[in-house]
Amino acid sequence: MKYPVLLIQSITAFVLGVACLVLGLGAGFSGSDGLLFLIVCIVLLVVGVLAFAHWLRKVRA
């Protein structure tokens, strides 16, 4: 497999983002801390998706 580190990074970021959302939904994302928590979760998800797209481009090249 080519570039396993990129794949592992993308999967890890995405899984952390999903876990973050699940925990946040359980807590209700209340208050200003909840909003910050939600933003961090979304950033993790986006980083995971972008890292996976980068990995796909490198593998196909």
Side-chain angles (χ1 to χ4, degrees), residues 19-56:
C20 181
L21 283 176
V22 168
L23 289 172
L25 288 175
F29 288 117
S30 58
S32 62
D33 289 339
L35 181 61
L36 180 63
F37 194 67
L38 178 64
I39 291 170
V40 168
C41 295
I42 292 171
V43 167
L44 277 171
L45 285 171
V46 169
V47 166
V49 169
L50 291 177
F52 186 72
H54 181 62
W55 175 78
L56 275 178

Side-chain angles (χ1 to χ4, degrees), residues 9-31:
Q9 285 176 343
S10 68
I11 292 171
T12 302
F14 190 78
V15 168
L16 285 174
V18 169
C20 181
L21 283 176
V22 168
L23 289 172
L25 288 175
F29 288 117
S30 58

